[in-house]
Amino acid sequence: MDKLVIRGGRTLQGEVTISGAKNAALPELCAALLCPEAMTLANVPRLQDVSTTLKVLRHLGVKADRSEALPDQVVLDASEIVTREAPYDLVKTMRASILVLGPLLARFGEARVSLPGGCAIGSRPVDQHIKGLQAMGAQIVVEHGYIVARAERLKGARITTDMVTVTGTENLLMAATLADGETVLENAAQEPEVTDLADLLVAMGARIEGQGTHRIRIQGVDRLHAPVRPHEIIADRIETGTFLCAVAAAGGDVTLRRTRADHLDVVLDKLREAGVQIDAGPDWIRVRASGRPKGISLRTSEYPAFPTDMQAQFMALNCIAQGTSRVTETIFENRFMHVNELVRLGAHIAVDGHTAIVEGIERLSGATVMATDLRASASLVIAGLVAEGETCVDRIYHLDRGYDRMEEKLRGIGADIERTR
């Protein structure tokens, strides 16, 4: 099993190119199921979750291949689907596999999808997906660990989810594009990844208004087609934020390329509050930091508030910051599993319910730690960059699910980091 070995204490200098967004790539790959023509996605990151999604799609009969000439492009052809079932052995490792449910049901009138797995950071029920599809006329039962759905043709409906759900919004959005009549999604997720999916669907002939707001309107059409040009997936705002935190913790001067500051307003504000210098243009962000940052308190919430996917990275930053900070997690109940691992590195953290109180110290000490989920693994890498001595981060298959060659990018800006077995 791969590990990362990090020898801390180096400042970071240079440039990093940000990859395409994992959380946009996964639903957009699944959107290919809605279209009987070959289509191309560009800026597709090389991640384990992307590979898993491609395996699921290939099992369904989609021809899905990376371009040899342009390895960031994936060509998808769903003209000959051979099965409407996504089995447990493919779906169990990744909760985003549920995103094939809406497109299969909308285009073929039936789907059988295993209940998904993924990171152990809390309960993420699929009941909102089921409730929305039932409102559109689907007959759905859950049996033997599978969601079994049927509908002659989905009907437009007004759907209000009980909570803001990103994958729920995406699943219902895709399903509604081929439904009969108008669908209105209330309490919709507003994340940039949802907007990017909507933009792809519009390029495929869908009629959508309101993406990026809490109310999305979709007028169903009879058929979708391939976009005229390859659709370029937006930059990964969480990868961007992770590298920003790494520089803020380790110090240095780094410019991030092919990214968007306007997707990270709250994160950038928090970094400036910590004393980090941030400059930005239309497709770049420059971060400069020296000395210990200031501890900053934060509370996670749905976009456009502070993202839960950046909580662990900021906690690592707070561990070596000046002062005491409070980190409150409101999205997932088990998203403090990195705390015990940070404490192994010498961090002073106390957990009180949904809040972690972090007392910043001057330096951490290298040790062997274990990644427990995707973003927790990123926080341990950041901590390792500033810890004295050697830090070994085990179980980095979590990291590979969501970060495209992270150690190579860090090594390119001066970090002493290597992958070993």
Side-chain angles (χ1 to χ4, degrees), residues 22 26 45-55 66 93-94 396-405:
K22 174 182 87 80
L26 303 186
R46 282 168 274 185
L47 305 171
Q48 187 58 47
D49 275 9
V50 168
S51 297
T52 300
T53 301
L54 292 175
K55 287 179 183 177
R66 283 192 181 271
T93 60
M94 189 183 68
I396 61 166
Y397 59 85
H398 288 294
L399 192 79
D400 293 336
R401 287 186 50 233
Y403 290 94
D404 187 346
R405 297 159 294 153

Side-chain angles (χ1 to χ4, degrees), residues 24-71:
L26 303 186
E28 290 174 23
L29 289 168
C30 294
L33 290 166
L34 294 164
C35 171
E37 303 171 8
M39 56 182 280
T40 302
L41 296 179
N43 202 30
V44 181
R46 282 168 274 185
L47 305 171
Q48 187 58 47
D49 275 9
V50 168
S51 297
T52 300
T53 301
L54 292 175
K55 287 179 183 177
V56 173
L57 293 175
R58 290 181 185 122
H59 171 83
L60 296 172
V62 179
K63 297 175 184 176
D65 297 293
R66 283 192 181 271
S67 165
E68 292 185 8
L70 299 168

Side-chain angles (χ1 to χ4, degrees), residues 15 19-21 81 106 119 128 153 163 205 223-224 249 271 294 314 318 320 333 382 405:
E15 295 189 356
S19 300
I81 298 301
C119 285
Q128 300 303 303
R153 185 180 182 188
M163 64 191 76
R223 179 186 174 94
L224 296 178
L271 286 169
K294 301 173 186 174
F314 268 79
N318 279 337
I320 51 90
E333 64 270 25
I382 292 170
R405 297 159 294 153

Side-chain angles (χ1 to χ4, degrees), residues 3-12 250 345 364-367 380-393 407 410-411 413-420:
K3 307 173 183 179
L4 287 181
V5 176
I6 308 164
R7 286 163 284 273
R10 293 193 177 189
T11 58
L12 305 177
L345 298 172
L364 300 173
S365 298
L380 298 178
V381 171
I382 292 170
L385 292 173
V386 298
E388 286 186 334
E390 186 174 280
T391 298
C392 178
V393 183
E407 75 278 8
L410 283 170
R411 199 160 47 242
I413 54 176
D416 188 346
I417 181 172
E418 62 180 333
R419 182 181 290 252
T420 65

Side-chain angles (χ1 to χ4, degrees), residues 9 13 62 123 142-143 145 184 193-194 237 247 284 375 385 392 401-402 407:
Q13 307 282 338
V62 179
S123 174
V142 179
E143 58 183 17
V184 180
E193 294 81 11
V194 175
R237 60 192 171 97
V247 179
W284 59 269
R375 305 309 173 184
L385 292 173
C392 178
R401 287 186 50 233
E407 75 278 8

